[in-house]
Amino acid sequence: MKPAEILSEVAEQAAACTLCELHHSRKQAVPGEGPADAEIVFIGEGPGFHENEQGRPFVGAAGKFLEELLASIALTREEVFITNVVKCRPPGNRDPQIEELQSCNGYLERQIQAINPRVIVTLGRFSLARFLPNAKISQVHGKAVRVRGRLVIPMYHPAAALHQPSLRSVVEADFAQLPGLMSAADVQETMLPSLPENQNPEQLSLF
Ligand code: URA
């Protein structure tokens, strides 16, 4: 199957998914969107009110800020793939629960395998925890780490920066580093240790 076909299949399956409780309250699933050959995948937490209404990721206030951050590094949302760790809205925007994250993980895994991006940017702590389970976002944000051959770059969630104005400049500075980290990835690809997913972050070499 071609990557675009896999992404369509994942979207169809997420739309009909009943693996966790979130299907009861969702209006529609929000599988994610972007080119099947995107070089970067951004992974947020889960759909909010507007995303649940429209079936598209990051279309509310956090999405507007994400688009501004992308523009600051000369990218548009059409050039990147944007998705979430859970594809259905947690009621009242509560945190996704462990069973929900586990139920939805297969969809995200298939998206990542299909797109095969060089870089994954995690937005917020739930997305970070999927790749680096014990890492603290305050310690690792803006630093790149290689996980299963891919560059993972943890960032604060754009919504966190909207709620906590002091984080705004931190998020902007982390985004400003992204192009440099991506080109450094080319150079350092073979020199960096390859780390298995879910490895204890104490053993991770951040650079
Ligand atoms: N916040 C997220 O984490 N994801 C979205 O799609 C929208 C807001």
Side-chain angles (χ1 to χ4, degrees), residues 28-30 46-60 63:
Q28 56 195 313
V30 181
F49 174 84
H50 296 286
E51 290 77 20
N52 184 47
E53 293 295 311
Q54 296 182 36
R56 298 183 57 212
F58 282 94
V59 290

Side-chain angles (χ1 to χ4, degrees), residues 30 43-49 51 56-63 82-86 123 157-159:
V30 181
I43 307 176
E45 183 175 319
F49 174 84
E51 290 77 20
R56 298 183 57 212
F58 282 94
V59 290
I82 304 176
T83 189
N84 286 300
V85 283
V86 293
L123 301 170
H157 195 289

Side-chain angles (χ1 to χ4, degrees), residues 66-202:
L66 178 60
E67 284 176 24
E68 284 170 29
L69 290 164
L70 289 169
S72 74
I73 52 168
L75 283 175
T76 62
R77 64 178 289 150
E78 289 75 24
E79 291 173 283
V80 301
F81 195 87
I82 304 176
T83 189
N84 286 300
V85 283
V86 293
K87 314 300 191 205
C88 297
R89 183 190 184 205
N93 294 348
R94 64 156 170 74
D95 288 348
Q97 291 168 3
I98 189 85
E99 317 79 64
E100 296 159 357
L101 291 160
Q102 284 168 350
S103 300
C104 225
N105 187 49
Y107 297 127
L108 180 57
E109 182 61 27
R110 279 165 65 208
Q111 289 175 318
I112 294 169
Q113 293 300 329
I115 299 165
N116 194 21
R118 212 153 56 80
V119 175
I120 291 175
V121 176
T122 62
L123 301 170
R125 61 200 170 95
F126 289 96
S127 173
L128 169 64
R130 185 192 184 274
F131 296 93
L132 307 173
N134 303 316
K136 280 210 168 79
I137 196 153
S138 58
Q139 289 170 0
V140 300
H141 70 90
K143 294 176 178 160
V145 62
R146 195 158 290 276
V147 180
R148 291 205 297 180
R150 259 184 257 286
L151 208 65
V152 173
I153 306 178
M155 304 261 183
Y156 281 105
H157 195 289
L162 294 178
H163 295 133
Q164 236 177 297
S166 61
L167 278 186
R168 198 184 170 102
S169 55
V170 176
V171 175
E172 287 169 350
D174 286 349
F175 258 78
Q177 283 196 72
L178 197 50
L181 289 172
M182 287 185 67
S183 49
D186 280 339
V187 177
Q188 297 180 42
E189 191 104 35
T190 54
M191 293 163 55
L192 291 165
S194 189
L195 300 164
E197 200 161 3
N198 293 339
Q199 181 172 344
N200 184 334
E202 264 83 48

